[in-house]
Amino acid sequence: MMRFLKRLEDRDLALNRAMIPLGSCTMKLNAAAEMLPIGWPGFADIHPFAPLDQAEGYLAMIRDLERRLKDITGFAAVSLQPNAGAQGEYAGLLAIRKYHAANGQRGRDVCLIPASAHGTNPASATMAGLAVVVVECDAAGNIDLADLGAKAAAHRDRLAALMVTYPSTHGVFEAGIRDICRIVHDHGGQVYMDGANLNALVGYCRPALLGADVMHINLHKTFAIPHGGGGPGVGPIGVAAHLAPYLPNHPLVPEAGPSGGIGPVAAAPWGSAGVLSISWSYIALMGSEGLKRATEAALLAANYVARRLRPHYPVLYTGRNGLVAHECILDTRPLKETSGITAEDIAKRLMDYGFHAPTMSFPVPGTLMVEPTESEPKAELDRFIQAMIAIKGEIARIERGDWPRADNPLRNAPHTADMIAAEDWAHPYSREVAAFPLASLKTGKYWPPVARVDNVYGDRHVVCVCPPPESTRDAAE
Ligand SMILES: *Cc1c(COP(=O)(O)O)cnc(C)c1O
């Protein structure tokens, strides 16, 4: 078993080997100490519906985590039930709907969502029965206040909510955030804040003070629960006092939420309770000063990467002061014209350099979004920057015509050990350039286990798994 797990680990490009610069995802290298308690029988071996007098310790931790999250966000109440950010969005929007209904405003069913929003926002709004109206962004990537004002006014009687991400998915602190919240409130709507980017705020700014009425946070982003591969996550929502009566609850466990709440959004009363000890430990171990320093380091790291890479890849959006928040979008679109190279080629080539790709084509198609997080030391940031600059040098060689557009280290990336060791090597660049483009890789090479796959092949070649009718006839005969 041990060797099997090690073999799987060796094939994986995980945080225990290198940074994972996935923008918006906040991939932190968390401390082993934060992980230990999830294996302790007291946390691991209890049933979600165990009688509460057998779960007093668990409940104490849950209540304490709620208290700490309220302190960090400034909200009056928190529900830990949602299992992911998207589920938090759904729960928060249902709370808003129920609040409107309680005020005799059942007809409020329009949700404004900026064009830059994460795809889960419109999906959750639709699931919550709201009609989505898209608000445009201006040239600087910020919400277009004039368009917001016009659409809020046009839907004045039906406006339920605005969903806004702060700092924005463009990686900037949107200077108009208070005005944005005011415009929505002035037209009778509630402000749903997408708190996936809370890593840029913790300890410095309580989102409730900006004007948000409800916000989800992602414990698996900001608060250290390891994620990737689909879970487990926790997407708690914090709400202002007027929405507290409409948090999720549970029919079998009255202690899990307010009696007049929206009902359960997850099967278990406290959702993914089994991983809450990770976030509790993270917050407790960091302390208030540590959390503030994490925010500072996350902002500093993103701005360092943006500043160093800007001469090589334009940084698409910055705030008025020329700075980014906790992540930055590198505009790789112009390279398509000059070299035929796309963001995907750069993402694949980064594997040869021992890095996981940044986020591709979100929120802007054809770009790369880098979020280093506070957990990366300067040496690792420099290693990433060096790789990105070296890749830009390779692109320059394609532009100069040294390598054909169709056969170069980027287009053929990633290079597996099989490719490098093959008898035949017909490419116009050496095996060394393919596998060891930087000398430092010779002492710490990650070998991608598979070469480039055709990403959309499966989508375009649907495989029917039901047996053809003839096969049943054959069996009968
Ligand atoms: C991650 C993310 C979400 C969704 O959170 P999940 O936990 O993946 O459901 C929503 N909005 C933004 C901006 C995100 O980065």
Side-chain angles (χ1 to χ4, degrees):
M1 187 65 187
M2 184 63 92
R3 288 172 181 168
F4 173 66
L5 291 175
K6 177 67 184 149
R7 198 152 70 234
L8 292 182
E9 186 200 329
D10 284 344
R11 287 180 189 168
D12 196 12
L13 190 43
L15 275 159
N16 60 359
R17 193 195 291 266
M19 73 190 268
I20 298 188
L22 280 173
S24 217
C25 296
T26 313
M27 303 296 281
K28 298 185 180 193
L29 176 60
N30 58 310
E34 292 151 12
M35 297 300 293
L36 285 176
I38 62 169
W40 295 346
F43 287 118
D45 292 354
I46 195 154
H47 192 277
F49 292 102
L52 285 186
D53 62 1
Q54 295 173 30
E56 284 173 3
Y58 230 120
L59 209 53
M61 179 194 66
I62 287 172
R63 297 297 183 217
D64 194 56
L65 181 58
E66 286 172 357
R67 183 184 60 76
R68 289 169 190 265
L69 294 177
K70 283 191 280 189
D71 193 29
I72 288 168
T73 58
F75 286 109
V78 163
S79 168
L80 293 171
Q81 194 183 85
N83 282 317
Q87 224 173 58
E89 293 169 22
Y90 176 65
L93 293 172
L94 288 186
I96 288 174
R97 292 216 72 174
K98 194 148 187 186
Y99 166 78
H100 285 313
N103 290 334
Q105 307 260 305
R106 206 172 284 277
R108 294 197 171 270
D109 65 348
V110 165
C111 187
L112 301 177
I113 300 183
S116 59
H118 194 269
T120 51
N121 289 187
S124 302
T126 306
M127 275 185 65
L130 297 168
V132 174
V133 172
V134 176
V135 178
E136 300 306 328
C137 290
D138 63 21
N142 296 315
I143 291 179
D144 183 334
L145 289 186
D147 192 51
L148 173 67
K151 284 180 174 148
H155 301 283
R156 166 181 292 278
D157 298 330
R158 286 181 57 196
L159 185 61
L162 162 84
M163 298 184 86
V164 58
T165 309
Y166 186 80
S168 77
T169 51
H170 289 153
V172 294
F173 290 105
E174 203 146 333
I177 186 67
R178 281 170 180 275
D179 293 331
I180 290 168
C181 295
R182 188 182 40 74
I183 291 170
V184 173
H185 287 144
D186 284 351
H187 293 85
Q190 292 279 291
V191 175
Y192 183 97
M193 192 168 277
D194 180 330
N197 294 338
L198 187 64
N199 213 47
L201 302 176
V202 177
Y204 273 92
C205 168
R206 292 190 168 101
L209 302 182
L210 295 170
D213 299 294
V214 45
M215 179 177 83
H216 80 258
I217 52 193
N218 304 59
L219 298 192
H220 46 290
K221 292 179 181 171
T222 315
F223 297 103
I225 296 175
H227 62 129
V234 186
I237 51 173
V239 292
H242 63 282
L243 292 178
Y246 312 111
L247 281 174
N249 55 11
H250 201 287
L252 300 179
V253 184
E255 292 81 354
S259 57
I262 53 171
V265 295
W270 285 279
S272 315
V275 291
L276 291 179
S277 61
I278 303 172
S279 296
W280 187 90
S281 307
Y282 170 76
I283 295 172
L285 286 168
M286 295 288 278
S288 345
E289 279 311 307
L291 290 173
K292 277 182 84 165
R293 287 204 48 202
T295 304
E296 290 163 11
L299 297 174
L300 185 59
N303 278 284
Y304 177 67
V305 170
R307 199 54 72 99
R308 293 267 331 260
L309 287 182
R310 198 157 61 186
H312 309 278
Y313 304 90
V315 173
L316 190 56
Y317 297 120
T318 56
R320 285 179 195 160
N321 50 13
L323 298 172
V324 296
H326 64 307
E327 59 194 356
C328 61
I329 300 177
L330 304 175
D331 193 356
T332 46
R333 292 172 299 184
L335 301 170
K336 179 92 206 275
E337 184 79 13
T338 57
S339 63
I341 292 302
T342 64
E344 182 179 353
D345 298 319
I346 297 173
K348 301 290 184 190
R349 183 61 172 152
L350 274 169
M351 275 191 241
D352 289 334
Y353 283 82
F355 284 101
H356 193 288
T359 292
M360 262 177 49
S361 287
F362 172 79
V364 182
T367 65
L368 295 172
M369 183 156 67
V370 177
E371 177 180 5
T373 83
E374 73 280 7
S375 54
E376 299 309 331
K378 181 165 176 294
E380 181 70 355
L381 299 179
D382 286 337
R383 204 170 71 85
F384 176 73
I385 290 164
Q386 197 185 12
M388 287 296 287
I389 294 174
I391 289 174
K392 187 66 195 307
E394 293 173 349
I395 295 170
R397 295 195 59 177
I398 302 167
E399 287 168 342
R400 285 201 300 270
D402 290 359
W403 295 324
R405 284 181 171 220
D407 187 4
N408 57 63
L410 280 109
R411 288 307 293 273
N412 298 333
H415 297 81
T416 62
D418 261 8
M419 289 161 77
I420 300 298
E423 285 297 330
D424 300 320
W425 180 264
H427 304 297
Y429 55 95
S430 70
R431 291 173 153 106
E432 180 151 33
V433 166
F436 300 103
L438 293 175
S440 55
L441 290 165
K442 294 203 168 148
T443 51
K445 176 70 182 169
Y446 166 73
W447 287 104
V450 286
R452 179 98 57 125
V453 294
D454 182 345
N455 292 337
V456 294
Y457 185 92
D459 297 337
R460 296 199 178 140
H461 298 79
V462 177
V463 180
C464 181
V465 291
C466 38
E470 303 82 63
S471 70
T472 50
R473 191 188 57 209
D474 289 352
E477 283 163 2

